[in-house]
Amino acid sequence: MSRVLLVEDDPHLLRNMRITLHASGHEVITAATGRKALSEAAAGRPDLVVLDLGLPDLDGLEVIRSLRGWTGVPIIVLSGRASGGDKVTALDAGADDYVTKPFGVDELLARIRAVTRRAIAPEDGVPAVRIGGWSVHLADRRVSSDRGEVKLTPTEWKLLEAFVRHPGKLIGQRQLLTEVWGPVGTGDTSSLRLYLNRLRRKLEPDPSRPRHLLTEPGIGYRFLP
Ligand code: CA
């Protein structure tokens, strides 16, 4: 069971989410303003924050930045705003994922599972990750199936590792560039697209309609096992 801080100023939505999360076994703390969210986060030490961006007192982005000053708690943003720019700004400020309003309960629960799941580490001896018909073995850097093995270049490996370490999670473009090419790396979004297309051609059953290595237009990428 995890403790979730729900921050939402719409009382109906807050109530519905509280009931849903409680029914899924979560302990729930709530806040209807940004200031209350910050004090509840400090006092209640939640395992996860679900944060509405449009709050009456503080902007949700300010709440994210304040939280990131002292905690790495996963943050899922609820955004009623249509523009991808706000989502990118929220991710850059330190949010982990977003759900666009209106959203279904299943979608919110899936996002919560993804951000609270521990990232896969090769030393854990975890079983291979599946992509289509392929098994990805992180520990010895092999991709195999009953048809044989597929060879990946070092950059393709780094990109694939960044994906499979965060199953189901949204990975922002900037984060992915940093994970593959380093903080002062030479990567840009066009090289990212190039390598991603190569990976899709090697691994996706139908590279033109990817089902595992997904693009969230203008925002980032997501790996669905
Ligand atoms: Ca609101």
Side-chain angles (χ1 to χ4, degrees):
M1 183 165 102
S2 61
R3 186 182 313 175
V4 180
L5 171 58
L6 273 182
V7 187
E8 171 60 66
D9 62 323
D10 175 338
H12 295 291
L13 187 53
L14 183 67
R15 182 169 177 277
N16 287 344
M17 285 195 293
R18 179 162 53 77
I19 291 169
T20 299
L21 291 179
H22 189 74
S24 322
H26 297 283
E27 187 187 334
V28 182
I29 336 170
T30 62
T33 66
R35 287 183 210 291
K36 181 91 188 305
L38 292 175
S39 62
E40 289 292 334
R45 296 297 171 124
D47 304 304
L48 170 75
V49 177
V50 176
L51 174 71
D52 180 27
L53 279 187
L55 294 168
D57 55 344
L58 301 175
D59 190 292
L61 293 171
E62 287 177 59
V63 177
I64 297 171
R65 292 191 189 104
S66 300
L67 288 174
R68 282 292 173 259
W70 62 273
T71 173
V73 65
I75 301 172
I76 296 176
V77 159
L78 302 177
S79 170
R81 307 169 194 190
S83 114
D86 284 321
K87 290 162 189 163
V88 172
T89 311
L91 293 174
D92 285 344
D96 295 282
D97 206 339
Y98 70 91
V99 177
T100 305
K101 292 179 181 178
F103 54 86
V105 164
D106 288 346
E107 188 187 358
L108 178 62
L109 291 175
R111 293 283 192 276
I112 289 176
R113 280 195 299 275
V115 300
T116 53
R117 193 185 291 138
R118 217 159 52 85
I120 296 170
E123 58 271 24
D124 286 350
V126 289
V129 178
R130 309 278 304 174
I131 298 185
W134 297 101
S135 301
V136 180
H137 309 272
L138 287 174
D140 51 359
R141 292 199 152 197
R142 280 188 313 115
V143 178
S144 65
S145 78
D146 47 14
R147 286 166 288 161
E149 298 208 357
V150 62
K151 295 271 175 267
L152 299 183
T153 68
T155 302
E156 289 167 356
W157 252 114
K158 281 190 192 165
L159 182 57
L160 183 60
E161 280 181 342
F163 277 116
V164 300
R165 281 177 199 287
H166 309 288
K169 267 190 75 169
L170 176 69
I171 313 176
Q173 276 182 353
R174 194 167 299 179
Q175 182 190 347
L176 206 49
L177 286 170
T178 305
E179 289 203 20
V180 176
W181 283 279
V184 288
T186 50
D188 54 32
T189 51
S190 62
S191 19
L192 199 51
R193 277 197 297 275
L194 178 89
Y195 281 99
L196 183 62
N197 283 335
R198 287 193 196 172
L199 274 185
R200 284 174 175 154
R201 281 201 297 275
K202 290 183 178 183
L203 301 175
E204 288 276 2
D206 180 357
S208 62
R209 276 187 228 100
R211 296 209 314 257
H212 305 285
L213 303 169
L214 307 181
T215 301
E216 303 241 350
I219 296 165
Y221 303 90
R222 193 186 299 275
F223 164 55
L224 291 184

